[in-house]
Amino acid sequence: MSLTLDTYRLLGRSGLRVSPLALGAATFGTEWGWGAEQDEARKLFDLYVERGGNFIDTANTYTNGSSERLLGEFTRDNRESLVLATKYTTLRRPGDPNSGGPHRKSLFASVEASLRQLNTDYIDLLYLHVWDFTTPVEEILRGMDDLVRQGKVLYVAISNTPAWQVSRMQAIADLRGWSPLVALQIEYNLIERSGERDLIPMAREMGLGVIPFSPLAGGVLTGKYTRDDLTATNGSSDDGTRKSFNLALGTLTERNLAIADVVKEVARDLGRTPAQVGLAWTLQNPGVTAPIIGARTPAQLEDNLGALEVGFTAAQLARLHEASAIGLGFPHDMLASDHIRKVTAGDLKIDTRR
């Protein structure tokens, strides 16, 4: 069944309604060497909102602050009808040790800066952007709860953090009556499926909606790269292009291009584009709430929105799954084995649906 941007979903254990595809605003601004100028970014924003989209994702340091500033301009007339998500922890002033990190001083200063840049009185959803293993979780959770009580933040969330730490934090928040985490942002796509080991099952159990970033693996799943791109001979590793960025991250590999080939084959079968197939695949996971799309042109955004209309056959899903499959590792593979099922349950039939 096709979806639309105004077929809203609840975010985690909250009552907040969000669109099934979030608009990523990391492409708003060109300070990073790629992205959309202000007029083009405005077209992306307007197109998304006109289709019924309400969930917009940014961060305090995306495009050196231009992303938040542009959103502050674009949302002057419809701020209340939108769900704005931003993040903190990345360094806002290199050289200032307290201008980044998840601690209380960084948290409060970053939120105040984001409120100014976004030209708003409150942030709908605030993520801890990057875990750093240095700040006590109680300090983070209490600081987040204080901001919620002050009305400067409505909901809190987390990204790029180990599953065991997220579940621990959620348990502490519940036990102390602090604001719970309602969303988990992770990289998740046909190339990067390791979130299926612990992060996504944990999020479902603990009440966090999963918000995948890079659902097209930096563009690799769109079919734009070939085996000729496996080396950086056509450009330096820091020339500001998405290709050099993907090479630096190790996203361009033979395995990943082979997965992209299968995506292209399924797309041909469906009469769809590879980007639509890659995005639609993430939406098949019941633990996923809303992938983030990072289009740079209205044409790309139009194409991405077509993912909401894609339906797979069981055979097509099996092809995509087989091409991109990963081992879940210990203890998951062991617990799923026939031997363990036999020694723990024998011939018992247990209905585990809920």
Side-chain angles (χ1 to χ4, degrees), residues 102-247:
H103 54 87
R104 190 178 181 92
K105 180 175 175 65
S106 169
L107 169 60
F108 278 69
S110 180
V111 165
E112 292 295 340
S114 288
L115 290 172
R116 290 191 296 271
Q117 292 189 152
L118 288 167
N119 190 35
T120 186
D121 296 325
Y122 65 95
I123 294 164
D124 294 288
L125 182 67
L126 178 71
Y127 289 94
L128 185 155
H129 198 167
V130 184
W131 188 251
D132 76 346
F133 297 96
T134 65
T135 307
V137 294
E138 292 85 358
E139 179 179 341
I140 297 167
L141 292 167
R142 179 56 194 269
M144 286 180 158
D145 185 66
D146 285 345
L147 287 168
V148 171
R149 291 174 188 271
Q150 292 172 15
K152 294 181 179 180
V153 172
L154 302 188
Y155 298 94
V156 293
I158 196 164
S159 68
N160 302 313
T161 301
W164 66 268
Q165 193 66 274
V166 178
S167 59
R168 173 184 176 225
M169 293 173 74
Q170 191 75 316
I172 291 172
D174 285 346
L175 289 169
R176 299 200 176 181
W178 291 339
S179 299
L181 303 167
V182 300
L184 172 71
Q185 193 168 131
I186 62 171
E187 181 176 2
Y188 183 58
N189 52 59
L190 277 161
I191 284 171
E192 176 51 77
R193 292 179 58 183
S194 56
E196 295 174 9
R197 293 186 174 114
D198 289 297
L199 285 162
I200 294 175
M202 177 277 301
R204 294 191 73 187
E205 186 73 20
M206 304 298 288
L208 290 83
V210 174
I211 310 297
F213 68 84
S214 195
L216 296 176
V220 176
L221 292 173
T222 67
K224 66 190 289 186
Y225 298 106
T226 70
R227 269 71 180 173
D228 293 336
D229 294 308
L230 292 178
T231 64
T233 55
N234 295 327
S236 69
S237 60
D238 58 354
D239 62 7
T241 65
R242 287 308 299 264
K243 175 185 170 182
S244 64
F245 189 62
N246 285 326
L247 284 166

Side-chain angles (χ1 to χ4, degrees), residues 13-35:
R13 62 164 69 175
S14 79
L16 187 65
R17 287 94 162 166
V18 298
S19 294
L21 289 176
L23 178 64
T27 58
F28 286 18
T30 58
E31 286 80 359
W32 288 353
W34 48 270

Side-chain angles (χ1 to χ4, degrees), residues 281-336:
W281 178 85
T282 65
L283 288 165
Q284 297 298 307
N285 191 316
V288 167
T289 301
I292 299 170
I293 49 179
R296 284 180 285 163
T297 68
Q300 287 178 342
L301 180 55
E302 285 275 12
D303 182 67
N304 286 176
L305 295 180
L308 295 171
E309 302 169 357
V310 174
F312 297 108
T313 66
Q316 289 164 342
L317 282 174
R319 285 167 65 191
L320 292 168
H321 179 83
E322 181 180 355
S324 61
I326 61 169
L328 295 183
F330 180 85
H332 311 294
D333 287 335
M334 183 198 76
L335 295 175

